[in-house]
Amino acid sequence: MARDLTTGTGSRGGRLRVYLGSAPGVGKTYRMLDEARRRQERGADVVVGYIECHGRRHTEAMLAGLEVLPRARRAYRDAEFEEMDLDGALARRPAVLLVDELAHTNIPGGRHAKRWQDVEELLAAGIDVVTTVNIQHLESLNDVVRKITGIPQRETVPDEVVRRADQIELVDMAPQSLRRRMAHGNVYRAEKVDAALSNYFRVGNLTALRELALLWVAGRVDEGLRDYRASHNIDRVWETRERVVVALTGGPEGETLIRRAARISDRTAGGELLAVHVSRSDGLAGASSGALAQQRQLVETLGGSYHVVVGDDVPTALLTFARAHHATQLVLGTSRRGRVNRFLTGPGTGQTTVDASEDIDVHMVTHEFTGRGRLPSLGRRHSRRRTVAGYLAGLVVPWLLTVLLSQAHHSINLTTDALIFQLGVVIVALLGGAVSALLASFVASVLLNYYFIPPIHSLTIGETNNIVALVVFAAIALTVSTVVDHAGRLTSRAARATAEAETLSTLAGSVLRGADALPALLEKSRTAFGMRAVALLSRADGEVLAHSEGGHEHEGDRPDEADGPYETTEVPAGEGAVLVLTGRRLPAADQRVLTAFAAHLAAALERDRLAVAAAEIEPIKAADRMRTALLAAVSHDLRTPLAAARASVGSLRSPDVEFSAEDQAELLATADESLVRLTRLVDNLLDMSRLQAGALTLHLAETHLDEILPRALDSLPDPYAPDLSTDLAVDIEEGTPPVLADPPLLERVLANVITNALRHNAPGAPVLVTASHHADQVEIRVIDRGPGIAPEDRDRVFLPFQRLGDTDNTTGVGLGLALSRGLAEAMGGSLEVEDTPGGGTTMLLTLPAAEPREADS
């Protein structure tokens, strides 16, 4: 059965060995050839399928004595290229085949688009393959490498292909050593060394790429270790790497535990920090979601990861998580319960975890909240009115039942009396909780003994059977009341959790749907908690940052707190603000959700601040970029026409030389052409400056394309003045309405775009200008058959001082398309780039159609 590289299935395929390089030039191909020579010396049938030496003499020398498979030649775009001969390799069928550059894209015409697909077929045929690839070509790291180096990698290979190799060997080299190797000419030719060292091969780039390679290979080693432990049923922790797990309850001690765990993790190189919160399976745990959100942010700030696991047995869930992640140390906080609480409820999570930890070190960290917890509650927390009603019911209900049962004493027996009293205890438990039920059970036991158990009207009991019955009654009453109270508490907590979840879900939805999160959060917090007013105040000076009152949000107005007997609740919202709610008194149970609201508000406030800062900085950055580019560009492009015009005029004025009429005309033409170029350049610079400053004055009017196009063509510079019979074709669709535009500016836009198309058009192919009407817009397309523009460069061509692929600095500073887009957008239109079917570039200018004029009456 053939082996499938992408799934790892199959058992008879060839074996894959990959030499993974941290950067180009570290010696992957050399190491691969060295491995091939060793295998050949051991008698293996080794063939070179494809090797790219890049002119490196040491690498070429390693080919001596190795059989090299002839390459296949393929024609593409009037040129001929060499590729690996896949069919020849399959026919030769060596034991080991060397295939360089795994991420290479094949020339069209072969069986596969990518070389790694060729390798898959070779492996499926049972041929062992040795190959090379650089870390920047892995698909998952492509965007990371682009951010680091600024260079996109168009040739990539899926990580899964490399990850499932039988052997991966990292070929690494220190950045300084690689740069020295390049400087000695051992990587690139001499003319490319300076550019490479100052761009891609900077020390920072190479260091980052090296770290990426080491981390990727380390992850691959971890995968192999996990597979080995799983296949050999090894559950014990192997301390190959320090992984510290910190348990979070959502309590106030969380930040102390996180920082302590981070210090433990940082003591060893490569330490890893993981934070975990154990949530009850019924979702009714009382952890503060706001506190957990803040603690999660702290963990991620310290470089750790945050996890949530579900389990009712917290110690078991913690240890299961720790072992699953091969943790070596577990950090827990000491119990917040007091001594009496611990005596009543037994050993806590910490002690139980220590007893079951085995080979995981457990750190019990003390904190300021140790031992400050309260006694366990015997019942639900009801309002004071309901609590008093429960106590009264515990006293009154047994007496009422006694009166009723006394009237029917001769028709029912003792068993029925006990059951009715038990029903009364359950009713009291539902009303007032376990404490009220305990009181009712005691009163009912006494009344049952005094009025219904012989001897009547005496607290003594004559028969042993009645003693047992009374004890059983009391036990059942207590048990049932406790169960009922517990069920009531769970029901109350479930309803509470559901309400909180719905509130937070609605909160998140309103934030996601709204463009401005801060007013939405304030209004939602006001309505969710039934408050009269909510304000977000600056902690430094008490300034009102935002405020919501009666369904309306404001900024800069403080809510009126003196109107009515209202109470004020304050909750911190980040480091620099505080959330103030004015209205009813908030119960303690609402504080958890309120903390979550405050955390969202802090995040929204910070986002708004960052957005304002970015908005303030962006124009400055744009202006700086503009000034820098302007200084770099005009230093040459302004001097060139000036120098030409000055030289021409100076020559004409020189008394030392006598020019013929033809020479004088040529010098005057040169001066005139230079001044025209200079005028056009200065006009473009001034218009671009006005656009940037927002000072461009527009005079929009109904403009007919059949009138404006001839004027635009007449304004083209002489080198690009088209021959309408061969160089340019115009096709305005019948019925195309006039556009709403500034005629002189539209003329400039069309002239710039058509000039650009003529400059890059293929010889012999005319530039096509078309116009059509779509909905309430007119689309003007300028179509050329030039080399086209890659998708990643389409925005760059509209930047000032950019001439994509243009090395001629005598044709202007690259303002044409930038100015054209700016003018089009100023007129309410747009200018975009599209591909021309069959090759080339299409500039799409979209303008609003002018509204038709009403017919004269």
Side-chain angles (χ1 to χ4, degrees), residues 782-819:
V782 180
I783 305 168
D784 67 57
R785 295 291 179 179
I789 301 175
E792 59 269 19
D793 292 328
R794 290 181 180 175
D795 287 333
R796 192 158 63 90
V797 298
F798 291 108
L799 296 177
F801 317 114
Q802 297 289 329
R803 290 188 303 277
L804 190 62
D806 190 358
T807 58
D808 179 14
N809 287 333
T810 65
T811 57
V813 294
L815 282 175
L817 291 181
L819 179 61

Side-chain angles (χ1 to χ4, degrees), residues 502-538:
E502 290 178 354
T503 300
L504 293 176
S505 175
T506 305
L507 166 67
S510 63
V511 172
L512 292 174
R513 286 190 297 270
D516 194 351
L518 198 57
L521 283 168
L522 283 172
E523 176 62 17
K524 188 60 63 177
S525 61
R526 188 191 66 79
T527 57
F529 296 103
M531 306 302 285
R532 179 184 179 276
V534 177
L536 190 64
L537 308 181
S538 171

